[in-house]
């Protein structure tokens, strides 16, 4: 039975697709139309009571929260595909640390930029310049710390690609394209090199073609 | 969720800090926890260490003198936040990464497997509900606690609009918790886990705000029963001693 990933073509589900491709796990995608409010339908809320995407259905098992889903598959399929969790308990600790940094510090201001610059114009909401400026400043200070980290380490958790890097890819792609702030990545030499490295992985190329 | 003063700590250190008596002061201890005991994030890690019955040294970081922004501290935590755990040569930050690491490394210690690691699916549900706490509960809860505890002590009046808007979001989240707890005894399943633990300090402070107990428990009997259960655990009761308000 094939893993079903609900929530395409939106961005958070792409974390899951990336992970499944890296681990060589077959899946099918089920689109959810957020603009039509499908995520708030009673049927969808039975799967994901908070009304967010993605949700994964794997046989009789349902799982939500993208970062929980990618950890599950990275753990379950440890023996195949790319190792995404490091080799030791300590390396795993660092993967978790940088996954938390992504979730707590990197994602929130970036998500606000996506909402204000990409989403709101599509639904006729005017852009809030102050919020955009504040979020860019917050994201910039986080990226300064990444620049320092990546000057000492090829990837975030160490010299190995992991879930921590993977989790950044989908929304960072929006940052450098539709949000129109590629300079935030390019102005930082080590962040720029890291971005080129992780965004050129074959798995990401496949996700963009789905 | 981790604490500093630019993004202000959720829990105000107005009350004289006291280092919990249960911590050992043996300087040769391998585990060193840098933190502020009344900060919710530090309290989560202490609770976890106590649950796992792992000895550690608590090193007090004075947020109010800016110690967390000193070059020495930034070398441990580049974002200048607490808590940070040093385990011999290994350093790790981010509260939820620390508790997960402690539970994995010291899996054989203590009486509970807080990760439900015997079953991968159950373990994934622990992680799901830690994510839920992080992505839905925390953003609704933290402005209420900031406005109620921290703002007044920084000379600002609590912003009722912010409190009311956050409360509206929070009760919707707690409705989902109530529905969940009709199905399972704890958030991630039938046994206590990190998912429940990470709610303890913020709920503790929230319930000290006048009217909030009635507000959230009156129509949510399963949530109330869950809270009475998880907040009565010995490890958390010890931590509460260190978080108590002075008279």
């Amino acid at each position: 039975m094939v893993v079903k990933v609900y929530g395409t073509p939106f961005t958070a589900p792409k974390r899951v697709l990336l992970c499944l491709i890296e681990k060589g796990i077959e899946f099918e995608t089920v689109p959810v139309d957020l603009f039509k409010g499908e995520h708030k339908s009673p049927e969808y809320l039975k799967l994901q009571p908070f009304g967010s995407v993605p949700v994964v259905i794997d046989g009789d098992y349902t799982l939500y929260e993208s970062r929980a889903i990618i950890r599950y598959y990275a753990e379950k399929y440890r023996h195949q595909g790319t190792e995404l969790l490091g080799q030791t308990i300590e390396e795993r600790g660092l993967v978790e640390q940088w996954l938390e940094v992504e979730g707590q510090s990197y994602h929130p201001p970036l998500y606000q930029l996506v909402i204000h610059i990409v989403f709101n114009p599509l639904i006729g909401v005017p852009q809030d310049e102050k919020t955009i400026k504040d979020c860019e400043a917050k994201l910039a200070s986080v990226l300064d710390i990444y620049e320092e980290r990546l000057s000492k380490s090829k990837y975030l958790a160490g010299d190995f690609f992991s879930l921590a890097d993977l989790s950044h890819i989908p929304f960072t792609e929006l940052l450098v394209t539709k949000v129109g702030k590629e300079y935030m990545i390019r102005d930082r030499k080590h962040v720029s090199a890291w971005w080129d490295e992780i965004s050129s992985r074959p798995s990401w190329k496949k996700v963009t073609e789905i | 969720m981790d604490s500093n003063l630019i993004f202000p700590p959720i829990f105000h250190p107005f009350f004289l800090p006291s280092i919990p008596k249960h911590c050992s002061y043996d300087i040769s201890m391998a585990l060193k926890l840098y933190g502020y005991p009344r900060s919710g994030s530090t309290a989560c890690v202490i609770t976890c260490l106590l649950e796992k019955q792992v000895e550690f040294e608590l090193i007090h970081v004075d947020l109010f003198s800016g110690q967390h922004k000193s070059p020495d501290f930034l070398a441990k935590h580049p974002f200048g936040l607490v808590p940070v755990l040093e385990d011999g040569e290994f350093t790790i930050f981010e509260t939820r990464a620390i508790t997960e690491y402690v539970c994995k490394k010291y899996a054989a210690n203590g009486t509970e497997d807080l990760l439900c690691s015997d079953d991968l699916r159950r373990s994934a549900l622990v992680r799901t509900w830690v994510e839920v706490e992080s992505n839905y509960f925390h953003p609704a809860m933290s402005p209420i606690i900031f406005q109620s505890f921290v703002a007044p002590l920084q000379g600002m009046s609590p912003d009722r609009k912010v409190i009311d808007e956050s409360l509206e979001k929070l009760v919707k989240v707690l409705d989902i918790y109530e529905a969940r707890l009709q199905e399972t005894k704890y958030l991630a399943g039938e046994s206590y886990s990190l998912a429940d633990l990470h709610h303890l300090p913020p709920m503790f402070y929230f319930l000290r705000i006048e009217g909030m107990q009635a507000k959230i428990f009156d129509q949510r009997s399963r949530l109330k029963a869950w809270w009475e259960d998880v907040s009565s655990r010995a490890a958390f009761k010890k931590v509460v001693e260190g978080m108590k308000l002075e008279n």
Side-chain angles (χ1 to χ4, degrees), chain B residues 136-152:
Chain B
Y136 305 105
F137 177 87
H138 174 70
M141 175 62 87
S142 104
I144 299 172
I145 293 181
F146 178 80
Q147 292 298 329
S148 304
F149 288 96
V150 185

Side-chain angles (χ1 to χ4, degrees), chain A residues 7-162:
Chain A
T8 48
F10 296 96
T11 314
K14 292 180 183 175
R15 288 191 182 102
V16 176
L17 302 184
L18 268 171
C19 176
L20 295 173
I21 294 170
E22 289 281 351
K23 300 306 286 180
I25 301 164
E26 273 194 59
F27 61 88
E28 64 186 59
T29 57
V30 180
V32 175
D33 193 336
L34 302 190
F35 291 104
K36 280 201 190 133
E38 273 180 20
H39 56 310
K40 301 294 179 192
S41 70
E43 301 78 35
Y44 190 80
L45 290 173
K46 281 204 188 87
L47 298 179
Q48 214 289 19
F50 299 89
S52 302
V53 291
V55 171
V56 154
I57 299 184
D58 188 346
D60 60 351
Y61 184 54
T62 302
L63 197 59
Y64 53 85
E65 289 300 311
S66 61
R67 297 178 192 83
I69 297 169
I70 60 181
R71 283 170 168 109
Y72 171 69
Y73 284 103
E75 190 92 56
K76 183 173 180 188
Y77 292 92
R78 203 94 199 243
H79 55 278
Q80 74 181 54
T82 314
E83 177 54 75
L84 296 171
L85 297 171
Q87 301 288 346
T88 60
I89 288 182
E90 285 73 22
E91 285 183 357
R92 175 68 188 266
L94 294 178
V95 173
E96 294 292 342
Q97 175 183 287
W98 288 98
L99 251 173
E100 283 296 308
V101 168
E102 188 268 326
Q104 302 296 321
S105 299
Y106 186 86
H107 181 75
L110 175 50
Y111 184 69
Q112 288 303 310
L113 288 176
V114 170
I115 293 295
H116 283 269
I117 295 174
V118 181
F119 254 40
N120 281 352
L122 297 175
I123 53 174
V125 171
Q127 294 196 0
D128 179 345
E129 288 305 329
K130 183 172 186 303
T131 302
I132 291 173
K133 200 159 165 247
D134 290 344
C135 289
E136 182 170 340
K138 277 189 188 146
L139 186 59
S141 64
V142 172
L143 283 168
D144 286 341
I145 295 169
Y146 279 33
E147 178 65 11
E148 173 65 27
R149 170 62 179 171
L150 294 164
S151 70
K152 298 179 192 137
S153 169
K154 189 174 180 197
Y155 298 97
L156 285 170
D159 288 328
F160 56 94
F161 180 75
S162 74

